[in-house]
């Protein structure tokens, strides 16, 4: 009788690394989290953790920007990150040297999109899904035709332009590259800087949330018009503010103004724009799923 495989999954964030060893979301065997320090120390810790288990494959999902082009000489490298010491870090290569098993490499938010798609039965029926994280930064993983979208590089859907009315919101945005792109206007640190108080400390009644919902709705409206995804999952620290969900759904409907002839958008918005089914584990369990599909 063949034994069931166990898989490793790693989500490498700018502030912490999360690692799991699991059969799947309901059968997690071991799990750890530790702060992101230097690449040497952090990657060594992760390798030591996975070495304790007889895993069949590993999925790695570090923060980006990440070179995911297998033909590139810098494949697997973290490219120009503002995170000190991490530009040029190559988690994938170091794992390949340490383990003689298949290794998948994907951007953290791509893995999160794949995790939500692969493990959640309500998503698995779909062909397309977009996962946004709205946290320290903004990024998206895009599933189209049941596959993660990669192109020139990976999608950078946190950095497109959205309308910015300077009379309503004189804040210039905090993106070091674009100022008032979507991330520059709507990520957690932008909310904190605009209002002079940490985003997680603002009251639920604060006007910050209406503006935040408007920016997110504006971005999602473009995404819906361009990609026509069958579901949009919104994760990340800022989306812990649950009141944003109904506000965003309502504003998306308002902005689309009846133009998209889908009953999901007309009548079932609460099934269309949703929180992550895997909670805070979308990324790490997505990495597990990417490992699993490598050897299936
Ligand atoms: P990261 O993006 O670094 O992986 P998170 O997704 O947890 O981390 O996002 C962190 C950001 O989310 C911070 O800017 C923080 O202020 C914001 N945040 C965390 N919790 C809340 C909350 N309850 N309400 C609003 N913003 C929050
Ligand atoms: Zn930007």
């Amino acid at each position: 009788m063949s034994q069931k495989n166990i898989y490793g999954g790693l989500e490498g964030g700018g502030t912490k690394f999360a690692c799991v060893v699991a059969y799947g979301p309901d059968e997690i065997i071991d799990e750890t989290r530790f702060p992101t320090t230097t690449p040497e120390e952090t990657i060594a810790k992760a390798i030591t953790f996975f070495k304790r288990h007889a895993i069949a494959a590993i999925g790695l999902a570090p923060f980006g920007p990440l070179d995911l082009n297998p033909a590139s000489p810098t494949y697997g490298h973290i490219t120009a990150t503002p995170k000190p010491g991490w530009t040029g870090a190559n988690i994938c290569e170091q794992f390949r040297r340490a383990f003689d098993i298949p290794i998948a490499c994907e951007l953290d938010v791509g893995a999160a999109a794949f995790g939500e798609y692969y493990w959640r039965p309500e998503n698995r029926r779909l062909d397309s899904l977009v996962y946004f994280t709205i946290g320290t930064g903004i990024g998206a993983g895009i599933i189209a035709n049941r596959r993660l979208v990669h192109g020139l590089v990976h999608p950078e859907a946190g950095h497109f332009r959205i309308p910015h009315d300077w009379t309503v919101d004189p804040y210039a945005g905090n993106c070091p590259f674009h100022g008032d792109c979507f991330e520059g206007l709507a990520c957690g640190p932008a909310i904190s800087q605009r209002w002079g108080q940490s985003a997680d400390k603002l009251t639920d009644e604060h006007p910050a949330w209406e503006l935040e919902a408007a920016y997110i709705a504006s971005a999602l409206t473009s995404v819906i018009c361009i990609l026509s995804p069958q579901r949009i999952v919104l994760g990340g620290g800022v989306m812990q503010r649950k009141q944003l969900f109904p506000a965003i759904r309502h504003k998306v409907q308002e902005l689309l103004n009846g133009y998209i002839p889908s009953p999901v958008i007309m009548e079932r918005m609460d099934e269309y724009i949703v929180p992550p089914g895997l909670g805070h584990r979308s990324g790490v369990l997505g990495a597990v799923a990417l490992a699993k599909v490598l050897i299936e």
Side-chain angles (χ1 to χ4, degrees), residues 138 156 158-161 174-185:
I138 297 184
E156 282 287 3
H159 294 271
F160 69 91
R161 300 280 168 178
N174 76 344
C175 174
F177 290 89
H178 318 111
D180 61 348
C181 63
F182 178 29
E183 173 175 300
L185 290 172

mmCIF file of all heavy atoms in Angstrom, residues 138 156 158-161 174-185, ligand 2:
data_model
loop_
_atom_site.group_PDB
_atom_site.id
_atom_site.type_symbol
_atom_site.label_atom_id
_atom_site.label_comp_id
_atom_site.label_asym_id
_atom_site.label_seq_id
_atom_site.Cartn_x
_atom_site.Cartn_y
_atom_site.Cartn_z
ATOM 1 N N ILE A 138 0.781 46.025 -0.721
ATOM 2 C CA ILE A 138 -0.376 45.431 -1.403
ATOM 3 C C ILE A 138 0.148 44.605 -2.565
ATOM 4 O O ILE A 138 1.032 45.050 -3.305
ATOM 5 C CB ILE A 138 -1.359 46.508 -1.909
ATOM 6 C CG1 ILE A 138 -1.941 47.287 -0.717
ATOM 7 C CG2 ILE A 138 -2.484 45.878 -2.732
ATOM 8 C CD1 ILE A 138 -2.996 48.323 -1.074
ATOM 9 N N GLU A 156 2.133 42.618 -10.488
ATOM 10 C CA GLU A 156 2.419 43.590 -9.423
ATOM 11 C C GLU A 156 1.179 44.462 -9.237
ATOM 12 O O GLU A 156 1.213 45.684 -9.401
ATOM 13 C CB GLU A 156 3.635 44.452 -9.783
ATOM 14 C CG GLU A 156 4.983 43.765 -9.587
ATOM 15 C CD GLU A 156 5.392 43.606 -8.112
ATOM 16 O OE1 GLU A 156 4.612 43.982 -7.215
ATOM 17 O OE2 GLU A 156 6.496 43.099 -7.874
ATOM 18 N N GLY A 158 -0.386 45.587 -6.877
ATOM 19 C CA GLY A 158 -0.469 46.632 -5.862
ATOM 20 C C GLY A 158 -0.063 47.984 -6.409
ATOM 21 O O GLY A 158 -0.296 49.012 -5.778
ATOM 22 N N HIS A 159 0.540 47.987 -7.603
ATOM 23 C CA HIS A 159 1.181 49.229 -8.051
ATOM 24 C C HIS A 159 0.509 49.899 -9.242
ATOM 25 O O HIS A 159 1.104 50.755 -9.874
ATOM 26 C CB HIS A 159 2.672 48.979 -8.319
ATOM 27 C CG HIS A 159 3.401 48.655 -7.059
ATOM 28 N ND1 HIS A 159 3.970 49.622 -6.256
ATOM 29 C CD2 HIS A 159 3.581 47.480 -6.419
ATOM 30 C CE1 HIS A 159 4.503 49.049 -5.178
ATOM 31 N NE2 HIS A 159 4.281 47.750 -5.267
ATOM 32 N N PHE A 160 -0.727 49.483 -9.549
ATOM 33 C CA PHE A 160 -1.371 50.235 -10.627
ATOM 34 C C PHE A 160 -2.024 51.497 -10.070
ATOM 35 O O PHE A 160 -2.175 51.660 -8.867
ATOM 36 C CB PHE A 160 -2.320 49.361 -11.463
ATOM 37 C CG PHE A 160 -3.567 48.889 -10.778
ATOM 38 C CD1 PHE A 160 -4.732 49.640 -10.839
ATOM 39 C CD2 PHE A 160 -3.599 47.671 -10.121
ATOM 40 C CE1 PHE A 160 -5.899 49.189 -10.240
ATOM 41 C CE2 PHE A 160 -4.755 47.209 -9.529
ATOM 42 C CZ PHE A 160 -5.905 47.978 -9.580
ATOM 43 N N ARG A 161 -2.356 52.382 -10.986
ATOM 44 C CA ARG A 161 -2.898 53.688 -10.592
ATOM 45 C C ARG A 161 -4.395 53.591 -10.357
ATOM 46 O O ARG A 161 -5.101 52.932 -11.108
ATOM 47 C CB ARG A 161 -2.669 54.703 -11.714
ATOM 48 C CG ARG A 161 -1.222 54.906 -12.041
ATOM 49 C CD ARG A 161 -0.620 55.839 -11.043
ATOM 50 N NE ARG A 161 0.831 55.840 -11.164
ATOM 51 C CZ ARG A 161 1.613 56.608 -10.438
ATOM 52 N NH1 ARG A 161 1.101 57.432 -9.551
ATOM 53 N NH2 ARG A 161 2.911 56.557 -10.596
ATOM 54 N N ASN A 174 2.641 56.699 -0.172
ATOM 55 C CA ASN A 174 3.965 56.349 0.381
ATOM 56 C C ASN A 174 4.741 55.337 -0.450
ATOM 57 O O ASN A 174 5.714 54.772 0.026
ATOM 58 C CB ASN A 174 3.821 55.844 1.824
ATOM 59 C CG ASN A 174 3.276 54.430 1.879
ATOM 60 O OD1 ASN A 174 2.726 53.928 0.895
ATOM 61 N ND2 ASN A 174 3.415 53.771 3.005
ATOM 62 N N CYS A 175 4.326 55.100 -1.710
ATOM 63 C CA CYS A 175 5.103 54.144 -2.504
ATOM 64 C C CYS A 175 6.410 54.815 -2.935
ATOM 65 O O CYS A 175 6.389 55.893 -3.537
ATOM 66 C CB CYS A 175 4.326 53.673 -3.731
ATOM 67 S SG CYS A 175 5.352 52.635 -4.802
ATOM 68 N N PRO A 176 7.552 54.193 -2.618
ATOM 69 C CA PRO A 176 8.833 54.829 -2.985
ATOM 70 C C PRO A 176 9.015 54.947 -4.497
ATOM 71 O O PRO A 176 9.803 55.765 -4.959
ATOM 72 C CB PRO A 176 9.890 53.909 -2.377
ATOM 73 C CG PRO A 176 9.191 52.669 -1.950
ATOM 74 C CD PRO A 176 7.721 52.951 -1.871
ATOM 75 N N PHE A 177 8.285 54.164 -5.277
ATOM 76 C CA PHE A 177 8.425 54.214 -6.743
ATOM 77 C C PHE A 177 7.391 55.114 -7.395
ATOM 78 O O PHE A 177 7.669 55.760 -8.394
ATOM 79 C CB PHE A 177 8.310 52.803 -7.346
ATOM 80 C CG PHE A 177 9.494 51.940 -7.019
ATOM 81 C CD1 PHE A 177 9.512 51.179 -5.868
ATOM 82 C CD2 PHE A 177 10.614 51.933 -7.846
ATOM 83 C CE1 PHE A 177 10.611 50.400 -5.553
ATOM 84 C CE2 PHE A 177 11.719 51.159 -7.543
ATOM 85 C CZ PHE A 177 11.721 50.388 -6.391
ATOM 86 N N HIS A 178 6.139 55.109 -6.869
ATOM 87 C CA HIS A 178 5.047 55.789 -7.580
ATOM 88 C C HIS A 178 4.276 56.793 -6.735
ATOM 89 O O HIS A 178 3.348 57.411 -7.236
ATOM 90 C CB HIS A 178 4.034 54.765 -8.113
ATOM 91 C CG HIS A 178 4.678 53.550 -8.706
ATOM 92 N ND1 HIS A 178 4.606 52.302 -8.130
ATOM 93 C CD2 HIS A 178 5.440 53.423 -9.807
ATOM 94 C CE1 HIS A 178 5.291 51.437 -8.859
ATOM 95 N NE2 HIS A 178 5.810 52.079 -9.871
ATOM 96 N N GLY A 179 4.594 56.944 -5.477
ATOM 97 C CA GLY A 179 3.800 57.853 -4.651
ATOM 98 C C GLY A 179 2.404 57.292 -4.452
ATOM 99 O O GLY A 179 2.184 56.396 -3.642
ATOM 100 N N ASP A 180 1.442 57.818 -5.253
ATOM 101 C CA ASP A 180 0.047 57.489 -4.991
ATOM 102 C C ASP A 180 -0.521 56.385 -5.892
ATOM 103 O O ASP A 180 -1.614 56.514 -6.420
ATOM 104 C CB ASP A 180 -0.828 58.744 -5.053
ATOM 105 C CG ASP A 180 -0.805 59.425 -6.416
ATOM 106 O OD1 ASP A 180 0.057 59.067 -7.267
ATOM 107 O OD2 ASP A 180 -1.652 60.307 -6.642
ATOM 108 N N CYS A 181 0.232 55.287 -6.051
ATOM 109 C CA CYS A 181 -0.365 54.093 -6.673
ATOM 110 C C CYS A 181 -1.317 53.466 -5.639
ATOM 111 O O CYS A 181 -1.469 53.976 -4.530
ATOM 112 C CB CYS A 181 0.721 53.115 -7.101
ATOM 113 S SG CYS A 181 1.680 52.463 -5.730
ATOM 114 N N PHE A 182 -1.953 52.342 -6.000
ATOM 115 C CA PHE A 182 -2.895 51.683 -5.086
ATOM 116 C C PHE A 182 -2.227 51.408 -3.734
ATOM 117 O O PHE A 182 -2.739 51.810 -2.685
ATOM 118 C CB PHE A 182 -3.399 50.392 -5.766
ATOM 119 C CG PHE A 182 -4.349 49.547 -4.951
ATOM 120 C CD1 PHE A 182 -5.189 50.101 -3.994
ATOM 121 C CD2 PHE A 182 -4.420 48.165 -5.188
ATOM 122 C CE1 PHE A 182 -6.073 49.306 -3.263
ATOM 123 C CE2 PHE A 182 -5.302 47.364 -4.464
ATOM 124 C CZ PHE A 182 -6.109 47.935 -3.495
ATOM 125 N N GLU A 183 -1.074 50.771 -3.755
ATOM 126 C CA GLU A 183 -0.366 50.490 -2.494
ATOM 127 C C GLU A 183 -0.012 51.779 -1.759
ATOM 128 O O GLU A 183 -0.184 51.883 -0.550
ATOM 129 C CB GLU A 183 0.912 49.681 -2.778
ATOM 130 C CG GLU A 183 1.785 49.504 -1.542
ATOM 131 C CD GLU A 183 2.995 48.594 -1.778
ATOM 132 O OE1 GLU A 183 2.788 47.413 -2.133
ATOM 133 O OE2 GLU A 183 4.141 49.052 -1.614
ATOM 134 N N GLY A 184 0.477 52.755 -2.514
ATOM 135 C CA GLY A 184 0.880 54.029 -1.902
ATOM 136 C C GLY A 184 -0.262 54.707 -1.173
ATOM 137 O O GLY A 184 -0.051 55.414 -0.183
ATOM 138 N N LEU A 185 -1.486 54.506 -1.637
ATOM 139 C CA LEU A 185 -2.649 55.136 -1.012
ATOM 140 C C LEU A 185 -3.327 54.260 0.038
ATOM 141 O O LEU A 185 -3.948 54.778 0.967
ATOM 142 C CB LEU A 185 -3.691 55.506 -2.081
ATOM 143 C CG LEU A 185 -3.324 56.652 -3.027
ATOM 144 C CD1 LEU A 185 -4.344 56.765 -4.149
ATOM 145 C CD2 LEU A 185 -3.225 57.980 -2.256
HETATM 146 ZN ZN1 LIG B 2 3.783 51.719 -6.310
#
